[in-house]
Amino acid sequence: MKQDFPRLIKKFEAKTILVIGDMIADTYLYGECTRIAPEASIPVIDLSDKRTCLGGAANTAANLSAMGAKVLLAGLTGADAGREQLVELLKDFKIEEKYIVACKDRFTLVKTRVSSASGTIVRFDEGSTGTVSGANLSKLLNKITLAHHICDAVVIADYGKGVVTDEVITLLNTLQEDNRKFLAIDSKNLEKFAVLRPDFVKPNYKEFLELMKYPTSADRLNQIKTYGGDICRKTNANITAVSLDKDGAAFLQDGKLICKAAGVPLQSPSVSGGGDTFVSGAVLSLLCGAPAQMALEVAMSSALIAIQKSHTATCDKAELLHLYQHKQKLLSVGLEELCDYYRAQNKRIVFTNGCFDVLHSGHVRYLKGSKKRGDVLIVGLNNDDSIRRLKGLSRPINTLNNRIAVLSELSCIDHIVSYGQPADDTPIELIRRIKPDVFVKGADYKNKFMPELALLKTLKTKVVLLPLVANQSTTTIISKIRSSEPAVENKPYVQ
């Protein structure tokens, strides 16, 4: 299943998602509190930074877009500065304002948090949450109808601020009957959407308790498992995902617990918007045909990435691939995206290559020395056919899978990529894809022709030749094993 993870993420790009809900501008004011105001005995914050992020349905839309999907966002704003701010932020995620209704009689929703080193001190909420006027509602319903025809899935992000009205639900029911699309609901009032027979809903544990009128349990997972049938009947959903913050999350289907994922303990996570990211990862995965367990893993991974950021945030596909590759040293797809992610983090990528057939101390010292030349070490590993062409039919001694298994245990190696084609046993194509900052070879290559050198010069890659360990080579080791007498060889090892 893990081998399919990068391919699954790639499939996200082919999907168009309609998001309907309450858009919010999340503004963060950061500063330091060094004194108390004399006139009211309240803390005085000397502001040092201000940041506005997409919140609510806009954050769900941003996450879906960041993960690769095309997004159509339908909702309401005022005809004010708050709308202009949201529209500008949405442009960063290639989301148009085409399906967003500007209402002259409403104000855009804005949440402003004031924080210092000790945490959030106060939050101010502003914007219209009341009844939507007839003309504005008609415009919204029309835009939803147009978008529904061209989307692959619908996500409702209902924050109870007035956008998802009974009329919107009635319209969706009609549209779904005529042309069924994957439907996901994220709302504190899931019962009102049961008529839509959603494919996916996501209450958190508190919302689960409020929906079911249950008391808090010390064993939350067992409680969900016990009452799975009840919540599935209440939501009328195919899959109900219950998030349990530090305890992870669980998927229910037909009243039964079908999969679960453990949580990851974090210090001071920024949980605002984490649910939006969770829903985005789950919806795209399920829509692309992923098994429930894989969809849950993607949802959990994406939410984990988002909540480690300092504000309402998104998780993008490069971060998802990086998290996957961090757990999986062997790279098959997603190499370019992973390297782009490292470069965005200002990390120096080091690349070296070889057969590494029978690993010995010379190899280990060489690989450790390579890692010291940068932040990330990617090792190109000749496949078995390539070694036969280079070393003869008696090689390799260890198959590719065995060599990968051994090299994966070295902490200095971050990633391994196998290569080798009948027409080209050089790492040139790998280097073209990786674009390393540093290329490492053994000192025995000094004054030798390297076919990859021209490309390295074009890429402005630094070439480093490391000294080798005398009397250490694969050839020597193989010779000792195959001969009744130890072979004597004073040459440095050759990969």
Side-chain angles (χ1 to χ4, degrees):
M1 181 167 62
K2 286 186 176 181
Q3 292 180 351
D4 295 330
F5 190 102
R7 291 185 178 88
L8 172 65
I9 305 304
K10 182 68 176 175
K11 288 181 181 179
F12 293 174
E13 298 174 8
K15 301 303 179 182
T16 299
I17 316 296
L18 167 60
V19 178
I20 305 169
D22 306 292
M23 291 173 288
I24 302 169
D26 277 341
T27 298
Y28 295 84
L29 303 177
Y30 300 98
E32 186 177 0
C33 178
T34 58
R35 63 193 188 279
I36 300 297
E39 70 275 13
S41 297
I42 56 174
V44 175
I45 307 298
D46 294 318
L47 294 179
S48 58
D49 189 24
K50 178 179 180 180
R51 178 177 305 200
T52 299
C53 311
L54 295 168
N59 186 48
T60 301
N63 272 283
L64 288 164
S65 179
M67 292 182 199
K70 179 180 179 181
V71 179
L72 315 174
L73 177 58
L76 306 170
T77 66
D80 53 14
R83 174 191 170 87
E84 293 176 6
Q85 200 166 34
L86 280 175
V87 168
E88 280 301 310
L89 291 170
L90 287 169
K91 286 180 181 177
D92 293 337
F93 294 91
K94 300 178 182 178
I95 300 172
E96 300 177 354
E97 57 182 296
K98 182 177 180 180
Y99 301 96
I100 303 171
V101 180
C103 310
K104 294 181 179 179
D105 59 349
R106 294 177 73 85
F107 294 97
T108 302
L109 294 168
V110 180
K111 293 182 179 180
T112 303
R113 297 169 176 86
V114 181
S115 303
S116 68
S118 59
T120 301
I121 297 170
V122 65
R123 191 183 90 181
F124 302 100
D125 289 6
E126 53 188 316
S128 303
T129 59
T131 304
V132 183
S133 67
N136 289 325
L137 181 58
S138 295
K139 290 179 182 177
L140 177 62
L141 296 177
N142 183 54
K143 289 178 182 294
I144 290 173
T145 301
L146 293 173
H148 189 274
H149 290 317
I150 59 175
C151 73
D152 299 299
V154 180
V155 176
I156 296 179
D158 175 30
Y159 282 74
K161 304 298 184 182
V163 170
V164 189
T165 63
D166 291 340
E167 292 85 354
V168 169
I169 295 173
T170 300
L171 172 65
L172 280 173
N173 196 27
T174 302
L175 293 172
Q176 288 288 99
E177 287 179 357
D178 292 341
N179 186 8
R180 180 78 189 178
K181 305 292 177 73
F182 185 98
L183 178 63
I185 313 290
D186 186 10
S187 172
K188 294 181 178 176
N189 188 6
L190 289 173
E191 277 187 288
K192 74 177 184 179
F193 298 98
V195 66
L196 298 176
R197 295 176 292 110
D199 298 278
F200 179 86
V201 298
K202 190 213 73 68
N204 58 34
Y205 181 68
K206 181 182 177 183
E207 291 164 349
F208 162 78
L209 294 180
E210 291 174 351
L211 179 65
M212 304 306 302
K213 306 295 189 291
Y214 291 147
T216 302
S217 170
D219 188 347
R220 299 192 293 177
L221 186 62
N222 187 59
Q223 184 184 32
I224 291 168
K225 184 177 180 180
T226 302
Y227 298 107
D230 294 340
I231 191 171
C232 288
R233 282 188 290 273
K234 282 262 191 180
T235 64
N236 204 19
N238 179 35
I239 291 180
T240 299
V242 184
S243 57
L244 302 167
D245 47 76
K246 63 182 177 61
D247 292 327
F251 275 10
L252 299 163
Q253 188 175 41
D254 296 328
K256 298 178 181 178
L257 180 70
I258 57 171
C259 59
K260 60 184 179 179
V264 177
L266 296 173
Q267 288 187 345
S268 305
S270 178
V271 297
S272 180
D276 305 328
T277 314
F278 181 97
V279 169
S280 300
V283 167
L284 286 173
S285 299
L286 292 169
L287 182 61
C288 291
Q293 183 65 53
M294 179 181 278
L296 178 55
E297 288 179 11
V298 173
M300 287 292 291
S301 296
S302 55
L304 175 65
I305 290 167
I307 66 175
Q308 292 185 74
K309 300 176 182 179
S310 60
H311 46 80
T312 307
T314 59
C315 166
D316 63 39
K317 61 183 178 181
E319 291 172 315
L320 270 176
L321 285 168
H322 169 66
L323 188 64
Y324 162 79
Q325 304 292 12
H326 179 71
K327 299 175 183 178
Q328 186 91 353
K329 283 194 176 184
L330 177 63
L331 297 175
S332 53
V333 296
L335 177 60
E336 292 89 341
E337 292 89 345
L338 181 65
C339 291
D340 287 343
Y341 174 81
Y342 283 132
R343 276 187 284 273
Q345 303 297 312
N346 293 319
K347 291 186 176 180
R348 286 171 60 81
I349 301 173
V350 181
F351 175 74
T352 190
N353 65 287
C355 300
F356 300 102
D357 188 4
V358 179
L359 197 70
H360 52 71
S361 62
H363 286 137
V364 174
R365 184 175 298 184
Y366 172 83
L367 291 167
K368 285 183 175 180
S370 298
K371 178 59 179 282
K372 290 179 180 179
R373 267 58 187 180
D375 304 300
V376 179
L377 175 59
I378 300 177
V379 175
L381 192 60
N382 294 82
N383 61 34
D384 293 346
D385 287 338
S386 177
I387 292 178
R388 291 187 190 100
R389 288 189 292 269
L390 295 171
K391 304 285 186 179
L393 296 179
S394 63
R395 301 280 297 275
I397 301 299
N398 292 300
T399 64
L400 178 64
N401 287 338
N402 286 334
R403 288 181 286 130
I404 289 170
V406 172
L407 288 173
S408 294
E409 295 301 316
L410 296 180
S411 60
C412 60
I413 298 176
D414 294 287
H415 306 293
I416 301 168
V417 194
S418 66
Y419 70 96
Q421 298 293 331
D424 184 12
D425 285 310
T426 74
I428 288 177
E429 184 55 32
L430 268 186
I431 293 169
R432 196 186 314 278
R433 295 170 63 194
I434 294 169
K435 300 180 180 65
D437 299 285
V438 182
F439 175 71
V440 179
K441 292 297 285 185
D444 55 319
Y445 278 86
K446 186 177 181 180
N447 299 322
K448 285 186 179 180
F449 171 70
M450 289 193 290
E452 57 267 43
L453 196 58
L455 175 59
L456 293 167
K457 288 181 178 178
T458 300
L459 296 174
K460 298 181 179 179
T461 299
K462 181 179 180 180
V463 177
V464 175
L465 300 180
L466 291 183
L468 304 181
V469 179
N471 300 318
Q472 286 291 310
S473 77
T474 300
T475 302
T476 300
I477 294 171
I478 294 174
S479 213
K480 284 181 179 179
I481 294 171
R482 288 176 172 170
S483 172
S484 58
E485 295 182 4
V488 178
E489 183 177 344
N490 293 319
K491 296 179 182 179
Y493 82 83
V494 177
Q495 295 179 38

